[in-house]
Amino acid sequence: MKPRPALLDSSGPLYERVRHVLERMALSRPLDDDTPLPPEPRLMEEFGVSRGTLRRAVEELTRDGLLSAEQGRGTYVNHEERVRRVVWQRLELVARPDSRFDLDLRRFVPDFADRERAEAAVVELEAWSSSGTIFIAPDNSLEHLRELALEAGKRVLVPTFGLRRGFVLLDGGILDPGDRALAATLDGMERFGRRFGPADVRSVQRVDAVVTGATAITIDGRHIGGGQRYLALEWALLEQLDVVDSTVPVIGVVHDCQVIDELVRADPDCIVDLVVTPTRLVRCREGGTVTQLRRRRV
């Protein structure tokens, strides 16, 4: 029997130590790796643990969403969850803490270093300049873009958290200039905007563009959120009410470390047309192919 990995010699229940090793094993693989974990007997021998200890560790990671056991085939890593966890690790180096959740990135989409450079690229897009009404997600990283939209006299439609309080419509054309910064915040938007129940959003008539943050976005445009599927719900509702359709451009604004260049399997919340980062503009669906445009660092 092989010596146990050094991590298994640390303190804590043995099954928890095995779980940590399995998690590190899953996250260290290439993001496009589709192969199952080694079979049970091999892992038992490698870790020097019993079947019961190994299975408890696997069951914990399965409940947590990182692993999935397929009868007769083996135990696989959930691609979507692996992408989230890998990106969260990357984001810890560039994320700006939230006043409520600090750096618990499972709870929110963070603002990030050099976000201002991404914003400068967004406002140069024709999809932005030609839009009168823009859906902008309630992500921390998009607060200043919501303010810029209001300064440009645009209407901004923002969903409340989990749609628990519906949507809020802000009209930059009628807002006092001194109120725009506060109106762009999650705490201030209901004070200055008009709140709609989901069925009332039809009165908005038309959203010209959608701007969203993300946990990650793949190079072919798949938007991966935190797992709650809020954007998928919001898009489905707006589409059902004829407020958006497939012609509405969807712009994802993220840090470079959130762009996944590997072709991974993931069930997206929606498909993004453009990805804007501090250094890149990625056109995901131009002519049915992926086109990347590099912007000069300034």
Side-chain angles (χ1 to χ4, degrees):
M1 183 177 293
K2 295 181 180 179
R4 287 180 177 175
L7 187 59
L8 292 182
D9 292 330
S10 59
S11 60
L14 183 56
Y15 82 90
E16 287 189 357
R17 287 179 270 158
V18 173
R19 185 190 67 195
H20 290 319
V21 173
L22 284 172
E23 182 176 12
R24 289 179 62 177
M25 179 186 296
L27 297 184
S28 65
R29 290 179 164 198
L31 291 177
D32 55 356
D33 188 325
D34 228 358
T35 59
L37 293 182
E40 231 179 35
R42 181 174 157 190
L43 289 174
M44 290 165 54
E45 179 181 5
E46 183 172 338
F47 296 162
V49 298
S50 68
R51 188 183 305 273
T53 297
L54 178 63
R55 286 188 174 178
R56 184 170 181 183
V58 171
E59 286 168 3
E60 290 270 329
L61 289 172
T62 300
R63 280 196 296 271
D64 203 27
L66 182 59
L67 300 182
S68 62
E70 300 182 20
Q71 191 169 3
R73 297 190 64 224
T75 300
Y76 289 81
V77 180
N78 180 325
H79 280 232
E80 198 172 301
E81 183 63 19
R82 175 166 56 193
V83 165
R84 288 190 189 99
R85 297 189 188 201
V86 168
V87 170
W88 284 332
Q89 289 176 349
R90 298 173 182 174
L91 268 174
E92 287 179 353
L93 301 176
V94 297
R96 291 169 175 164
D98 181 78
S99 60
R100 297 160 298 170
F101 305 124
D102 191 35
L103 286 176
D104 182 0
L105 300 179
R106 294 173 178 266
R107 308 287 298 275
F108 71 107
V109 175
D111 194 4
F112 51 81
D114 289 335
R115 174 258 304 155
E116 297 83 358
R117 293 170 63 193
E119 289 176 346
V122 170
V123 299
E124 292 174 1
L125 295 172
E126 195 277 334
W128 173 277
S129 60
S130 65
S131 294
T133 301
I134 303 181
F135 172 107
I136 304 183
D139 300 325
N140 287 23
S141 53
L142 302 179
E143 180 178 307
H144 191 240
L145 268 177
R146 293 192 292 271
E147 182 181 351
L148 292 176
L150 295 175
E151 288 178 356
K154 301 179 186 296
R155 298 196 307 169
V156 179
L157 184 67
V158 188
T160 61
F161 181 75
L163 287 183
R164 292 175 186 172
R165 293 172 59 78
F167 295 84
V168 174
L169 182 67
L170 299 159
D171 191 337
I174 62 175
L175 270 176
D176 187 292
D179 294 331
R180 289 168 182 158
L182 180 58
T185 68
L186 300 187
D187 290 332
M189 65 181 187
E190 290 189 47
R191 176 178 168 185
F192 297 98
R194 178 181 174 190
R195 189 159 62 88
F196 290 101
D200 301 320
V201 177
R202 194 190 305 271
S203 64
V204 174
Q205 295 184 341
R206 176 74 176 179
V207 163
D208 302 308
V210 170
V211 179
T212 181
T215 295
I217 301 178
T218 64
I219 199 70
D220 56 350
R222 279 171 286 175
H223 177 286
I224 300 174
Q228 303 90 350
R229 304 288 182 196
Y230 292 142
L231 183 59
L233 172 63
E234 293 151 8
W235 178 272
L237 178 61
L238 295 176
E239 189 173 43
Q240 184 178 12
L241 296 173
D242 295 322
V243 177
V244 298
D245 57 34
S246 61
T247 66
V248 174
V250 180
I251 304 165
V253 182
V254 293
H255 191 272
D256 292 270
C257 73
Q258 295 172 273
V259 179
I260 304 302
D261 291 303
E262 298 90 342
L263 294 177
V264 300
R265 285 189 302 149
D267 182 18
D269 295 330
C270 74
I271 300 298
V272 172
D273 298 286
L274 291 162
V275 184
V276 183
T277 79
T279 66
R280 298 168 72 183
L281 174 62
V282 183
R283 298 188 183 275
C284 302
R285 296 196 293 183
E286 187 175 82
T289 61
V290 175
T291 303
Q292 294 189 55
L293 303 176
R294 297 276 180 176
R295 288 192 289 110
R296 180 174 60 86
R297 291 181 179 269
V298 294

